[in-house]
Amino acid sequence: MSLVSNFTCLVGTLYIFYLLSKFLMWVFEVLKTTFFGGHFDITRFGEWAVVTGCTDGIGKSYAKQLAAKGLNIILMSRSKEKLTSVAAELENDYKVKTMIIQVDFSGGHEIYEPIAEKLEGFEIGVIVNNVGVAVPSISYLHEFSNEVLWKQINVNVMSAVMITRLLIPAMVERKKGVIINISSCVAVRPFPLRAAYSGTKAFLDKFSKSLQIEYGDKGIVIQSVLPFYVATNMTGMKPGLFSPAPDDYVRAVLKKVGISSRCFGYWPHELQAVVMNWPISNWLIHKFIMKFLLKRVRLEDAKKKS
């Protein structure tokens, strides 16, 4: 019995040290970006920044805060009316140049040749691959239509790959550039009943890591951003400690460019990531998420039938 007790005590001690190390790493990350972040001169990589999905939420906040630093902004989104409005706001508030490209990223490869033509000749130093779509409903994979899944994959995955593919050769030639890919916390935590969405965000995270290895010695800075809930129209959340307003979130993330190649951005989100990645929490979290989401599905079905 003493041998078993000693072994149990050893395992418990090692696990406590593991949790403590994770917590200390989180503290170090917060302190590192608090005291050393924000000094990265993102404007030295080029005169222009491209921001996709830029008419609301996180994307619009990136456009505003990059414009505030003096970068001219190329705005890409689906609504011409909203693009025009954001462009006018940036030009008026920050005295920068803008260009708008109206594009529906749910289309196929044919949409990228016109984009390439419009971008020719611009010194683009920053890319923010933000555009994304999450279907409002939660369902088993086989219950989603082919059209919904196709659109989600094209918007969330192919847009980032193709825009990066178009612009990275010039960055390689100039030996400088910044690419920011907006992934999600669901990239590292399975999201049942939204499996395709979770998969697309995991793709962006792995895509970013691979590009860091490919282009890290070519002067190109690549960052994968994995937010939890941010108070945007997409999430429907109200601003709070764990659901910051987009401007607050992006301000925090921009301080990490050049310091953290992969981050959750906002310090409460970093803390959430620490807790969610504890091994003991995996089974409980998966069980809770599935139970919670299935309850929502049943409530939605009941509303439709009533």
Side-chain angles (χ1 to χ4, degrees):
M1 288 297 293
S2 60
L3 182 62
V4 174
S5 298
N6 289 338
F7 179 74
T8 303
C9 183
L10 175 63
V11 171
T13 301
L14 290 175
Y15 187 67
I16 288 172
F17 273 111
Y18 169 78
L19 297 181
L20 181 60
S21 68
K22 295 289 285 185
F23 177 74
L24 290 175
M25 286 175 64
W26 169 75
V27 171
F28 174 74
E29 182 69 22
V30 172
L31 292 176
K32 181 176 70 171
T33 53
T34 299
F35 292 104
F36 300 104
H39 303 296
F40 184 81
D41 185 7
I42 204 168
T43 64
R44 67 183 175 86
F45 291 85
E47 295 181 4
W48 291 82
V50 166
V51 185
T52 66
C54 54
T55 58
D56 193 18
I58 290 175
K60 184 177 179 181
S61 290
Y62 266 107
K64 287 163 53 181
Q65 294 187 39
L66 291 174
K69 294 178 182 295
L71 287 170
N72 301 316
I73 309 296
I74 297 172
L75 303 159
M76 294 189 195
S77 196
R78 186 175 56 178
S79 169
K80 186 174 183 179
E81 182 181 355
K82 290 182 178 180
L83 283 169
T84 302
S85 174
V86 173
E89 182 180 340
L90 297 180
E91 291 176 6
N92 181 64
D93 292 350
Y94 305 106
K95 313 305 177 189
V96 296
K97 299 176 185 176
T98 65
M99 183 177 78
I100 64 173
I101 298 179
Q102 181 186 11
V103 56
D104 183 350
F105 282 109
S106 65
H109 65 86
E110 70 282 351
I111 69 175
Y112 293 98
E113 187 174 340
I115 292 174
E117 292 174 358
K118 291 176 182 177
L119 294 177
E120 191 172 349
F122 287 88
E123 186 189 62
I124 297 167
V126 180
I127 306 169
V128 181
N129 287 312
N130 170 74
V131 68
V133 60
V135 293
S137 61
I138 47 177
S139 301
Y140 286 92
L141 180 66
H142 70 275
E143 295 174 339
F144 286 111
S145 69
N146 290 339
E147 182 182 4
V148 164
L149 295 174
W150 189 268
K151 177 179 179 180
Q152 193 166 71
I153 292 169
N154 273 5
V155 174
N156 296 4
V157 171
M158 291 309 298
S159 64
V161 174
M162 295 304 293
I163 292 297
T164 301
R165 172 63 184 85
L166 286 176
L167 299 178
I168 207 167
M171 291 181 171
V172 171
E173 186 177 343
R174 298 198 314 272
K175 295 183 172 57
K176 58 182 180 180
V178 176
I179 301 170
I180 301 170
N181 294 321
I182 310 303
S183 179
S184 167
C185 66
V186 300
V188 294
R189 174 65 59 188
F191 196 170
L193 305 183
R194 276 190 179 171
Y197 177 76
S198 177
T200 62
K201 292 302 182 178
F203 176 93
L204 287 178
D205 189 40
K206 291 295 184 183
F207 178 61
S208 301
K209 287 182 178 180
S210 298
L211 290 181
Q212 288 159 13
I213 298 169
E214 286 184 44
Y215 294 97
D217 63 347
K218 301 184 187 322
I220 300 175
V221 176
I222 296 161
Q223 184 185 60
S224 176
V225 182
L226 303 95
F228 281 76
Y229 281 113
V230 177
T232 65
N233 289 338
M234 180 183 287
T235 65
M237 300 288 288
K238 294 181 179 179
L241 177 62
F242 291 98
S243 55
D247 286 349
D248 294 332
Y249 182 79
V250 172
R251 189 176 299 110
V253 178
L254 281 175
K255 289 182 178 180
K256 296 174 180 283
V257 176
I259 295 179
S260 297
S261 60
R262 181 178 187 264
C263 67
F264 294 87
Y266 193 62
W267 73 262
H269 288 192
E270 299 284 0
L271 180 59
Q272 284 178 277
V274 170
V275 174
M276 287 186 68
N277 284 319
W278 288 351
I280 198 170
S281 66
N282 285 347
W283 180 83
L284 291 173
I285 290 173
H286 294 170
K287 194 82 172 176
F288 170 78
I289 290 175
M290 191 64 178
K291 186 175 181 180
F292 173 76
L293 292 178
L294 281 174
K295 184 178 180 181
R296 278 187 56 186
V297 170
R298 287 193 292 268
L299 288 173
E300 289 176 6
D301 288 343
K303 286 181 182 178
K304 290 176 184 178
K305 293 175 181 178
S306 62

